[in-house]
Each structure stands twice: as structure tokens, then as C-alpha cells.
Coordinates of all heavy atoms in Angstrom, one line a residue:
K1 N 53.1 50.0 91.6 CA 52.9 50.7 92.8 C 54.1 51.7 93.1 O 53.8 52.9 93.3 CB 52.9 49.7 94.0 CG 52.8 50.2 95.3 CD 52.8 49.1 96.4 CE 53.0 49.7 97.8 NZ 52.9 48.6 98.8
Y2 N 55.3 51.3 93.0 CA 56.4 52.2 93.3 C 56.7 53.1 92.1 O 57.2 54.2 92.3 CB 57.7 51.4 93.7 CG 57.5 50.8 95.1 CD1 57.4 49.4 95.2 CD2 57.4 51.6 96.2 CE1 57.2 48.8 96.5 CE2 57.2 51.0 97.5 CZ 57.1 49.6 97.6 OH 56.9 49.1 98.8
A3 N 56.4 52.7 90.9 CA 56.6 53.5 89.7 C 55.7 54.7 89.8 O 56.1 55.9 89.6 CB 56.3 52.7 88.5
A4 N 54.4 54.6 90.3 CA 53.5 55.7 90.5 C 54.1 56.7 91.5 O 54.0 57.9 91.4 CB 52.1 55.3 90.8
K5 N 54.7 56.1 92.6 CA 55.3 56.9 93.6 C 56.5 57.7 93.1 O 56.7 58.9 93.5 CB 55.7 56.1 94.8 CG 54.5 55.6 95.6 CD 54.9 54.8 96.9 CE 53.7 54.4 97.7 NZ 54.1 53.8 98.9
A6 N 57.2 57.1 92.2 CA 58.3 57.8 91.6 C 57.9 59.0 90.8 O 58.5 60.1 90.8 CB 59.1 56.9 90.7
V7 N 56.8 58.9 90.1 CA 56.2 60.0 89.3 C 55.7 61.1 90.2 O 56.0 62.3 90.0 CB 55.0 59.5 88.4 CG1 54.3 60.7 87.8 CG2 55.5 58.5 87.4
T8 N 55.1 60.7 91.3 CA 54.6 61.7 92.3 C 55.8 62.5 92.9 O 55.7 63.7 93.0 CB 53.8 61.0 93.4 OG1 52.6 60.4 92.8 CG2 53.3 62.0 94.4
L9 N 56.8 61.7 93.3 CA 58.0 62.4 93.9 C 58.6 63.4 92.9 O 59.0 64.5 93.2 CB 59.0 61.3 94.3 CG 60.4 61.9 94.7 CD1 60.2 62.6 96.1 CD2 61.4 60.7 94.9
A10 N 58.8 62.9 91.6 CA 59.4 63.8 90.6 C 58.6 65.1 90.4 O 59.1 66.2 90.3 CB 59.6 63.1 89.3
R11 N 57.3 64.9 90.3 CA 56.4 66.1 90.1 C 56.5 67.0 91.3 O 56.5 68.2 91.2 CB 54.9 65.7 90.0 CG 54.6 65.2 88.6 CD 53.1 65.1 88.5 NE 52.7 64.4 87.3 CZ 52.7 64.9 86.1 NH1 53.1 66.1 85.9 NH2 52.3 64.1 85.1
K12 N 56.5 66.5 92.5 CA 56.5 67.3 93.8 C 57.9 68.1 93.9 O 57.9 69.3 94.2 CB 56.4 66.4 95.0 CG 56.3 67.2 96.3 CD 56.1 66.3 97.5 CE 56.1 67.0 98.8 NZ 56.0 66.2 99.9
Q13 N 59.0 67.4 93.6 CA 60.3 68.1 93.7 C 60.6 69.0 92.5 O 61.3 70.0 92.6 CB 61.4 67.0 93.8 CG 61.3 66.2 95.1 CD 61.3 67.1 96.3 OE1 62.2 68.0 96.4 NE2 60.5 66.8 97.3
G14 N 60.0 68.6 91.3 CA 60.2 69.5 90.1 C 61.6 69.5 89.6 O 62.5 68.7 90.0
G15 N 61.9 70.4 88.7 CA 63.2 70.7 88.1 C 64.0 69.5 87.8 O 63.6 68.7 86.9
V16 N 65.1 69.4 88.4 CA 66.1 68.3 88.1 C 65.5 66.9 88.3 O 65.9 66.0 87.6 CB 67.4 68.5 88.8 CG1 67.3 68.2 90.3 CG2 68.5 67.8 88.2
Y17 N 64.6 66.8 89.2 CA 63.9 65.5 89.5 C 63.1 65.1 88.2 O 63.1 63.9 87.8 CB 63.0 65.5 90.7 CG 63.8 65.5 92.0 CD1 64.4 66.6 92.5 CD2 64.1 64.3 92.7 CE1 65.1 66.6 93.7 CE2 64.8 64.3 93.9 CZ 65.3 65.5 94.4 OH 66.0 65.4 95.5
V18 N 62.4 66.0 87.7 CA 61.6 65.7 86.4 C 62.6 65.4 85.3 O 62.4 64.5 84.5 CB 60.7 66.9 86.1 CG1 60.0 66.7 84.7 CG2 59.6 67.1 87.2
K19 N 63.7 66.2 85.2 CA 64.7 65.9 84.1 C 65.2 64.5 84.3 O 65.4 63.8 83.3 CB 65.8 67.0 84.2 CG 66.7 66.9 83.1 CD 66.1 66.9 81.7 CE 65.7 68.2 81.2 NZ 65.1 68.1 79.9
A20 N 65.6 64.1 85.5 CA 66.1 62.7 85.7 C 65.0 61.7 85.4 O 65.4 60.7 84.7 CB 66.5 62.6 87.2
A21 N 63.8 61.9 85.7 CA 62.7 61.0 85.4 C 62.6 60.9 83.9 O 62.3 59.8 83.4 CB 61.4 61.5 86.0
Q22 N 62.7 62.0 83.2 CA 62.6 62.0 81.7 C 63.7 61.1 81.1 O 63.5 60.4 80.2 CB 62.7 63.4 81.2 CG 61.5 64.2 81.5 CD 61.6 65.7 81.1 OE1 62.7 66.2 80.9 NE2 60.5 66.4 81.0
Q23 N 64.9 61.2 81.7 CA 66.1 60.5 81.2 C 65.8 59.0 81.4 O 66.0 58.2 80.5 CB 67.3 60.9 82.0 CG 68.6 60.1 81.5 CD 68.9 60.4 80.1 OE1 68.7 61.5 79.6 NE2 69.5 59.5 79.4
I24 N 65.3 58.6 82.6 CA 64.9 57.2 82.9 C 63.9 56.7 81.9 O 64.0 55.6 81.4 CB 64.5 57.0 84.3 CG1 65.7 57.3 85.3 CG2 63.9 55.6 84.6 CD1 65.3 57.4 86.7
A25 N 62.9 57.6 81.6 CA 61.8 57.2 80.7 C 62.3 56.9 79.3 O 61.8 56.1 78.6 CB 60.7 58.2 80.7
S26 N 63.4 57.6 79.0 CA 63.9 57.5 77.6 C 64.7 56.2 77.4 O 65.1 55.8 76.3 CB 64.9 58.7 77.3 OG 66.1 58.5 78.0
L27 N 64.9 55.4 78.5 CA 65.6 54.1 78.4 C 64.7 53.0 77.9 O 65.1 51.9 77.9 CB 66.2 53.8 79.8 CG 67.2 54.7 80.3 CD1 67.6 54.3 81.7 CD2 68.4 54.8 79.4
Q28 N 63.5 53.3 77.5 CA 62.6 52.3 77.0 C 63.2 51.5 75.9 O 63.8 52.0 74.9 CB 61.3 53.0 76.4 CG 60.5 53.8 77.3 CD 59.4 54.5 76.6 OE1 59.3 54.5 75.4 NE2 58.6 55.3 77.4
G29 N 63.2 50.2 76.1 CA 63.7 49.2 75.1 C 65.2 49.2 75.1 O 65.8 48.2 74.6
G30 N 65.9 50.2 75.5 CA 67.4 50.2 75.4 C 68.1 49.6 76.7 O 69.3 49.4 76.7
S31 N 67.3 49.3 77.7 CA 67.9 48.9 79.0 C 68.0 47.4 79.1 O 68.6 46.8 80.0 CB 67.2 49.5 80.2 OG 65.8 49.1 80.2
G32 N 67.3 46.6 78.2 CA 67.4 45.2 78.2 C 66.6 44.6 79.4 O 66.0 45.4 80.2
G33 N 66.8 43.4 79.7 CA 66.1 42.7 80.8 C 66.7 43.1 82.2 O 66.1 43.0 83.2
G34 N 68.0 43.5 82.2 CA 68.6 43.8 83.5 C 68.6 45.3 83.9 O 69.2 45.7 84.9
G35 N 68.0 46.1 83.1 CA 68.0 47.5 83.4 C 66.8 48.0 84.1 O 66.3 47.4 85.1
V36 N 66.2 49.1 83.7 CA 65.1 49.7 84.4 C 63.8 49.0 84.0 O 63.5 48.7 82.8 CB 64.9 51.2 84.0 CG1 63.7 51.9 84.6 CG2 66.2 52.0 84.3
P37 N 63.0 48.5 85.0 CA 61.8 47.8 84.7 C 60.8 48.6 83.8 O 60.7 49.8 84.0 CB 61.2 47.5 86.1 CG 62.3 47.6 87.0 CD 63.3 48.7 86.4
P38 N 60.2 48.0 82.9 CA 59.2 48.6 82.0 C 58.1 49.4 82.8 O 57.7 50.5 82.3 CB 58.6 47.5 81.2 CG 59.6 46.4 81.2 CD 60.3 46.5 82.5
A39 N 57.7 49.0 83.9 CA 56.7 49.7 84.7 C 57.2 51.1 85.0 O 56.4 52.1 85.0 CB 56.4 49.0 86.0
Y40 N 58.5 51.3 85.3 CA 59.0 52.6 85.6 C 59.2 53.5 84.3 O 58.8 54.7 84.3 CB 60.4 52.5 86.3 CG 60.3 52.1 87.7 CD1 60.2 50.8 88.1 CD2 60.2 53.1 88.7 CE1 60.1 50.4 89.4 CE2 60.1 52.7 90.0 CZ 60.0 51.4 90.4 OH 59.9 51.1 91.7
T41 N 59.7 52.9 83.2 CA 59.8 53.7 82.0 C 58.5 54.2 81.5 O 58.3 55.3 81.0 CB 60.6 53.0 80.9 OG1 60.0 51.7 80.6 CG2 62.1 52.7 81.4
T42 N 57.5 53.3 81.6 CA 56.1 53.6 81.2 C 55.5 54.7 82.0 O 55.0 55.7 81.5 CB 55.2 52.4 81.2 OG1 55.8 51.4 80.3 CG2 53.8 52.7 80.7
A43 N 55.6 54.5 83.4 CA 55.0 55.5 84.3 C 55.7 56.9 84.2 O 55.0 57.9 84.1 CB 55.1 55.0 85.7
L44 N 57.0 56.9 84.1 CA 57.8 58.1 84.0 C 57.6 58.8 82.7 O 57.9 60.0 82.6 CB 59.2 57.9 84.4 CG 59.5 57.4 85.8 CD1 61.0 57.0 86.0 CD2 59.2 58.5 86.8
A45 N 57.2 58.1 81.7 CA 57.0 58.7 80.3 C 56.0 59.9 80.4 O 56.1 60.8 79.6 CB 56.6 57.7 79.3
E46 N 55.1 59.9 81.3 CA 54.1 60.9 81.3 C 54.8 62.3 81.7 O 54.2 63.3 81.4 CB 53.0 60.6 82.3 CG 53.3 60.8 83.7 CD 52.1 60.5 84.6 OE1 51.6 59.4 84.6 OE2 51.7 61.4 85.3
L47 N 56.0 62.2 82.3 CA 56.7 63.5 82.6 C 57.4 64.1 81.4 O 58.0 65.2 81.5 CB 57.6 63.2 83.8 CG 57.0 62.8 85.1 CD1 58.1 62.4 86.1 CD2 56.2 63.9 85.6
T48 N 57.4 63.4 80.3 CA 58.1 63.9 79.1 C 57.4 65.0 78.3 O 58.0 65.7 77.6 CB 58.5 62.8 78.2 OG1 57.4 62.1 77.7 CG2 59.4 61.8 78.9
D49 N 56.1 65.0 78.5 CA 55.3 66.0 77.7 C 54.2 66.7 78.5 O 53.3 67.3 77.8 CB 54.8 65.3 76.5 CG 53.8 64.2 76.8 OD1 53.6 63.9 77.9 OD2 53.2 63.7 75.8
R50 N 54.2 66.7 79.8 CA 53.1 67.3 80.5 C 53.7 68.2 81.7 O 53.2 68.1 82.8 CB 52.2 66.3 81.1 CG 51.4 65.5 80.0 CD 50.4 64.5 80.6 NE 50.0 63.6 79.5 CZ 50.0 62.3 79.7 NH1 50.4 61.8 80.8 NH2 49.6 61.6 78.7
A51 N 54.6 69.0 81.4 CA 55.2 69.9 82.4 C 54.2 71.0 82.8 O 53.7 71.6 81.9 CB 56.5 70.4 82.0
A52 N 54.1 71.2 84.1 CA 53.2 72.3 84.5 C 53.9 73.6 84.6 O 55.0 73.6 85.1 CB 52.6 71.9 85.9
P53 N 53.4 74.6 84.0 CA 54.1 75.9 84.1 C 54.0 76.5 85.5 O 53.1 76.2 86.2 CB 53.3 76.8 83.1 CG 51.9 76.2 83.0 CD 52.1 74.7 83.2
Q54 N 55.0 77.3 85.8 CA 55.1 78.0 87.1 C 54.7 79.4 86.9 O 54.9 80.0 85.8 CB 56.5 77.9 87.7 CG 57.0 76.4 87.9 CD 56.2 75.7 88.9 OE1 56.0 76.2 90.0 NE2 55.7 74.5 88.6
D55 N 54.3 80.0 88.0 CA 53.9 81.5 87.9 C 55.2 82.3 87.8 O 56.2 82.1 88.6 CB 53.2 81.9 89.2 CG 52.8 83.3 89.2 OD1 53.2 84.1 88.4 OD2 52.0 83.7 90.1
L56 N 55.4 83.0 86.8 CA 56.6 83.8 86.5 C 57.0 84.7 87.6 O 58.1 85.0 87.8 CB 56.4 84.6 85.2 CG 57.7 85.2 84.6 CD1 58.8 84.2 84.4 CD2 57.4 86.0 83.3
R57 N 56.0 85.2 88.4 CA 56.2 86.1 89.5 C 57.1 85.4 90.6 O 57.8 86.1 91.3 CB 54.9 86.6 90.1 CG 54.3 87.6 89.2 CD 52.8 87.9 89.6 NE 52.2 88.9 88.7 CZ 51.7 88.6 87.5 NH1 51.7 87.3 87.0 NH2 51.2 89.5 86.7
L58 N 57.2 84.1 90.6 CA 58.0 83.4 91.6 C 59.5 83.7 91.2 O 60.4 83.5 92.1 CB 57.8 81.9 91.5 CG 56.4 81.4 92.0 CD1 56.2 80.0 91.7 CD2 56.2 81.8 93.5
F59 N 59.8 84.1 90.0 CA 61.2 84.2 89.6 C 61.6 85.6 89.3 O 62.6 85.9 88.7 CB 61.4 83.4 88.3 CG 61.0 81.9 88.5 CD1 59.7 81.5 88.1 CD2 61.8 81.0 89.1 CE1 59.4 80.2 88.3 CE2 61.5 79.7 89.3 CZ 60.3 79.3 88.9
E60 N 60.8 86.6 89.7 CA 61.1 88.0 89.4 C 62.4 88.5 90.0 O 63.2 89.1 89.3 CB 60.0 88.9 90.0 CG 58.7 88.8 89.2 CD 57.6 89.7 89.8 OE1 57.5 89.9 91.0 OE2 56.7 90.1 88.9
A61 N 62.8 88.1 91.2 CA 64.1 88.5 91.8 C 65.2 87.9 91.0 O 66.2 88.6 90.7 CB 64.1 88.1 93.2
M62 N 65.1 86.7 90.6 CA 66.2 86.1 89.8 C 66.3 86.7 88.4 O 67.4 87.0 88.0 CB 65.9 84.6 89.6 CG 67.0 83.8 88.8 SD 66.6 82.1 88.6 CE 65.2 82.1 87.5
I63 N 65.2 87.0 87.8 CA 65.2 87.7 86.5 C 65.8 89.1 86.6 O 66.6 89.5 85.8 CB 63.8 87.7 85.9 CG1 63.3 86.3 85.6 CG2 63.8 88.6 84.6 CD1 61.8 86.2 85.2
A64 N 65.4 89.8 87.7 CA 65.9 91.2 87.9 C 67.5 91.1 88.0 O 68.2 91.9 87.4 CB 65.3 91.8 89.1
E65 N 68.0 90.1 88.7 CA 69.4 90.0 88.9 C 70.1 89.6 87.6 O 71.1 90.2 87.3 CB 69.7 88.9 90.0 CG 71.2 88.8 90.3 CD 71.4 87.7 91.3 OE1 70.6 87.4 92.2 OE2 72.6 87.2 91.3
E66 N 69.5 88.7 86.9 CA 70.1 88.3 85.6 C 70.1 89.4 84.6 O 71.1 89.5 83.8 CB 69.4 87.1 85.0 CG 69.6 85.8 85.8 CD 71.1 85.3 85.8 OE1 71.7 85.4 84.7 OE2 71.6 84.9 86.8
L67 N 69.1 90.2 84.6 CA 69.0 91.3 83.6 C 69.7 92.6 84.1 O 69.8 93.6 83.4 CB 67.5 91.7 83.3 CG 66.7 90.6 82.6 CD1 65.2 91.0 82.5 CD2 67.3 90.3 81.2
C68 N 70.2 92.6 85.4 CA 70.8 93.7 86.0 C 69.8 94.9 86.0 O 70.2 96.1 85.7 CB 72.1 94.1 85.3 SG 73.3 92.8 85.4
V69 N 68.6 94.6 86.3 CA 67.5 95.6 86.4 C 66.8 95.5 87.8 O 65.9 94.7 87.9 CB 66.5 95.5 85.3 CG1 65.4 96.6 85.4 CG2 67.1 95.5 83.9
P70 N 67.4 96.2 88.8 CA 66.8 96.1 90.1 C 65.3 96.4 90.1 O 64.9 97.4 89.4 CB 67.5 97.1 91.0 CG 68.8 97.3 90.2 CD 68.5 97.1 88.8
G71 N 64.5 95.6 90.8 CA 63.1 95.9 90.9 C 62.3 95.4 89.7 O 61.1 95.7 89.6
W72 N 62.9 94.7 88.8 CA 62.1 94.2 87.6 C 61.0 93.3 88.1 O 61.1 92.5 89.0 CB 63.1 93.3 86.7 CG 62.4 92.9 85.4 CD1 62.5 93.5 84.2 CD2 61.6 91.7 85.2 NE1 61.8 92.8 83.3 CE2 61.2 91.7 83.9 CE3 61.2 90.7 86.1 CZ2 60.4 90.7 83.3 CZ3 60.4 89.7 85.5 CH2 60.0 89.7 84.2
T73 N 59.8 93.5 87.5 CA 58.7 92.7 87.7 C 57.9 92.4 86.4 O 58.1 93.1 85.4 CB 57.6 93.4 88.7 OG1 57.1 94.5 88.0 CG2 58.3 93.8 90.0
V74 N 57.1 91.4 86.5 CA 56.3 91.0 85.3 C 55.4 92.2 84.9 O 55.2 92.5 83.7 CB 55.5 89.7 85.6 CG1 54.5 89.5 84.5 CG2 56.4 88.5 85.8
D75 N 54.9 92.9 85.9 CA 54.0 94.0 85.6 C 54.7 95.3 85.2 O 54.1 96.2 84.7 CB 53.1 94.2 86.9 CG 52.3 93.0 87.2 OD1 51.7 92.4 86.3 OD2 52.2 92.7 88.4
A76 N 56.0 95.4 85.5 CA 56.8 96.6 85.2 C 58.1 96.2 84.7 O 59.1 96.3 85.4 CB 56.8 97.5 86.4
P77 N 58.2 95.7 83.5 CA 59.5 95.1 83.0 C 60.4 96.2 82.4 O 61.4 95.9 81.7 CB 59.1 94.1 81.9 CG 57.8 94.7 81.4 CD 57.1 95.3 82.6
S78 N 60.1 97.5 82.5 CA 60.9 98.5 81.9 C 62.4 98.5 82.3 O 62.7 98.1 83.4 CB 60.3 99.9 82.2 OG 60.4 100.2 83.6
G79 N 63.2 98.9 81.4 CA 64.7 98.9 81.7 C 65.3 97.6 81.2 O 66.5 97.5 81.2
S80 N 64.5 96.7 80.8 CA 65.1 95.4 80.4 C 65.0 95.2 78.9 O 65.5 94.2 78.4 CB 64.3 94.2 81.1 OG 62.9 94.2 80.6
G81 N 64.5 96.2 78.2 CA 64.3 96.0 76.8 C 62.9 95.4 76.4 O 62.6 95.2 75.3
L82 N 62.1 95.1 77.5 CA 60.8 94.5 77.3 C 59.7 95.5 77.6 O 59.8 96.2 78.7 CB 60.6 93.3 78.1 CG 61.6 92.1 77.8 CD1 61.4 91.0 78.9 CD2 61.4 91.6 76.4
A83 N 58.8 95.6 76.8 CA 57.6 96.5 77.1 C 56.6 95.8 77.9 O 55.9 96.3 78.7 CB 57.0 97.1 75.8
A84 N 56.4 94.5 77.6 CA 55.4 93.7 78.3 C 55.8 92.2 78.3 O 56.5 91.7 77.3 CB 54.1 93.8 77.6
V85 N 55.5 91.5 79.3 CA 55.6 90.0 79.4 C 54.3 89.5 79.7 O 53.6 89.9 80.7 CB 56.6 89.7 80.5 CG1 56.8 88.1 80.6 CG2 58.0 90.3 80.3
R86 N 53.8 88.5 78.9 CA 52.5 88.0 79.1 C 52.5 86.7 79.9 O 53.4 85.8 79.7 CB 51.8 87.8 77.8 CG 51.6 89.1 77.1 CD 50.9 88.8 75.7 NE 50.9 90.1 74.9 CZ 51.9 90.5 74.1 NH1 53.0 89.7 74.0 NH2 51.8 91.6 73.5
C87 N 51.6 86.5 80.8 CA 51.4 85.3 81.6 C 50.0 84.8 81.2 O 49.1 85.6 80.9 CB 51.5 85.6 83.1 SG 53.1 86.1 83.6
P88 N 49.8 83.5 81.3 CA 50.7 82.5 81.7 C 51.6 82.1 80.6 O 51.5 82.6 79.4 CB 49.7 81.3 82.0 CG 48.6 81.5 81.1 CD 48.4 83.0 81.0
A89 N 52.5 81.1 80.9 CA 53.5 80.6 79.9 C 52.7 79.9 78.7 O 51.6 79.3 78.9 CB 54.4 79.6 80.5
I90 N 53.3 80.0 77.5 CA 52.6 79.4 76.4 C 53.2 78.0 76.2 O 52.6 77.2 75.5 CB 52.8 80.2 75.1 CG1 54.3 80.4 74.8 CG2 52.1 81.5 75.2 CD1 54.5 81.1 73.4
A91 N 54.3 77.7 76.9 CA 54.9 76.3 76.8 C 55.7 76.2 78.1 O 56.3 77.1 78.6 CB 55.7 76.1 75.6
A92 N 55.8 74.9 78.6 CA 56.6 74.7 79.7 C 57.3 73.3 79.6 O 56.8 72.4 79.0 CB 55.8 74.6 81.0
A93 N 58.6 73.3 80.1 CA 59.4 72.0 80.1 C 59.8 71.8 81.5 O 59.5 72.6 82.4 CB 60.5 72.2 79.1
S94 N 60.7 70.8 81.7 CA 61.1 70.5 83.1 C 61.9 71.6 83.8 O 61.8 71.8 84.9 CB 61.8 69.2 83.1 OG 63.0 69.2 82.3
L95 N 62.7 72.3 83.0 CA 63.6 73.3 83.5 C 63.4 74.7 82.9 O 64.2 75.6 83.2 CB 65.1 72.9 83.3 CG 65.5 71.5 84.0 CD1 66.9 71.2 83.6 CD2 65.3 71.6 85.5
S96 N 62.4 74.9 82.1 CA 62.2 76.2 81.5 C 60.8 76.3 81.1 O 60.0 75.4 81.1 CB 63.1 76.4 80.3 OG 62.8 75.4 79.3
Q97 N 60.4 77.5 80.7 CA 59.1 77.8 80.1 C 59.2 79.0 79.2 O 60.2 79.8 79.3 CB 58.0 78.0 81.2 CG 58.3 79.1 82.2 CD 57.3 79.0 83.3 OE1 56.9 77.9 83.8 NE2 56.8 80.1 83.8
V98 N 58.2 79.2 78.3 CA 58.2 80.3 77.4 C 57.0 81.2 77.6 O 55.9 80.7 77.8 CB 58.2 79.6 75.9 CG1 58.1 80.7 74.9 CG2 59.3 78.7 75.7
H99 N 57.3 82.5 77.5 CA 56.3 83.5 77.6 C 56.3 84.4 76.4 O 57.4 84.6 75.9 CB 56.5 84.3 78.9 CG 56.3 83.6 80.2 ND1 55.1 83.7 80.8 CD2 57.1 82.8 80.9 CE1 55.2 82.9 81.9 NE2 56.4 82.4 82.0
R100 N 55.2 84.9 76.1 CA 55.2 85.9 75.0 C 55.6 87.3 75.6 O 55.3 87.6 76.8 CB 53.8 86.1 74.4 CG 53.3 84.9 73.7 CD 52.0 85.2 72.9 NE 51.4 84.1 72.4 CZ 51.8 83.5 71.2 NH1 52.8 84.0 70.5 NH2 51.2 82.4 70.8
A101 N 56.4 88.0 74.9 CA 56.8 89.3 75.3 C 56.9 90.3 74.1 O 57.0 89.8 73.0 CB 58.2 89.2 76.0
S102 N 56.9 91.6 74.4 CA 57.1 92.5 73.3 C 58.2 93.5 73.7 O 58.4 93.8 74.9 CB 55.8 93.3 73.0 OG 55.3 93.9 74.2
A103 N 59.0 93.9 72.7 CA 60.1 94.8 72.9 C 59.7 96.2 73.2 O 58.6 96.7 72.7 CB 61.1 94.7 71.7
E104 N 60.6 97.0 73.9 CA 60.3 98.4 74.2 C 60.5 99.2 72.9 O 61.2 98.8 72.0 CB 61.3 98.9 75.2 CG 61.0 98.5 76.6 CD 61.9 99.1 77.7 OE1 63.1 99.2 77.5 OE2 61.4 99.5 78.7

């Protein structure tokens, strides 16, 4: 019951919550009888390989700042060394995701 709620909470909060849940899930068998209950490690294990990708447009301002290219957008990535960035992500993890891109 509470293990499923822990999964829901981690999914809702995302990022570091998913990463923490993955760490707990990795304790399978290594925590002994006094550690994390198997119900939790089993339930949280689903967060280790099913990360949902986020819309890259949510991060345009951060990417523009990191690349020092004011006004950078997915649709107009010029000035960053990229000719195009493709959405959606081809892979996603708890704290990152991968997109196809082509150089200028």
C-alpha cells in the first residue's frame, strides 16, 4: 500500500526523488532483514527503467543561459553550434534525457 504511494510521490516530484527511489530499489538483497522492506525495493524498481521524457521547451531558458546564447530555442538553435534539435527525446533518465541534434 505505502510502497505504491512512494512510487507515485517519486514520479510526481521527479528529478532527485526518482534518483533517490532508484537508489533504494538498488538495495535489493543487500539490506538484509533489518533494512528496506522488499515491498519497497520491488515497487521502486519500476522507476529504474521507465523515466518519462520532458518537453525540451521547458528548459529553453536554462539551455540558453548555459550556452551563452540569449533567445536560444528548440526551433531556432542558431548561435549554439547546432543546426537542429529534434524532439521528442530518444532516451530519458531520472535527471537527464537525450535528443538527436545536427551541427551547424
Side-chain angles (χ1 to χ4, degrees):
K1 173 181 170 179
Y2 292 109
K5 288 184 177 188
V7 172
T8 300
L9 173 68
R11 281 194 192 283
K12 182 177 178 183
Q13 296 300 318
V16 73
Y17 286 84
V18 172
K19 186 51 78 181
Q22 290 171 341
Q23 182 64 32
I24 293 167
S26 74
L27 297 174
Q28 296 172 359
S31 60
V36 179
Y40 283 86
T41 57
T42 300
L44 295 171
E46 76 177 62
L47 297 171
T48 62
D49 63 357
R50 295 184 193 127
Q54 300 294 313
D55 184 347
L56 189 59
R57 287 168 179 81
L58 297 172
F59 304 98
E60 287 177 332
M62 180 180 68
I63 295 169
E65 184 178 336
E66 290 294 319
L67 295 175
C68 299
V69 180
W72 185 94
T73 67
V74 171
D75 299 318
S78 62
S80 64
L82 299 173
V85 179
R86 294 179 190 89
C87 293
I90 59 173
S94 57
L95 299 175
S96 63
Q97 58 191 38
V98 178
H99 291 264
R100 293 191 191 279
S102 54
E104 285 185 316

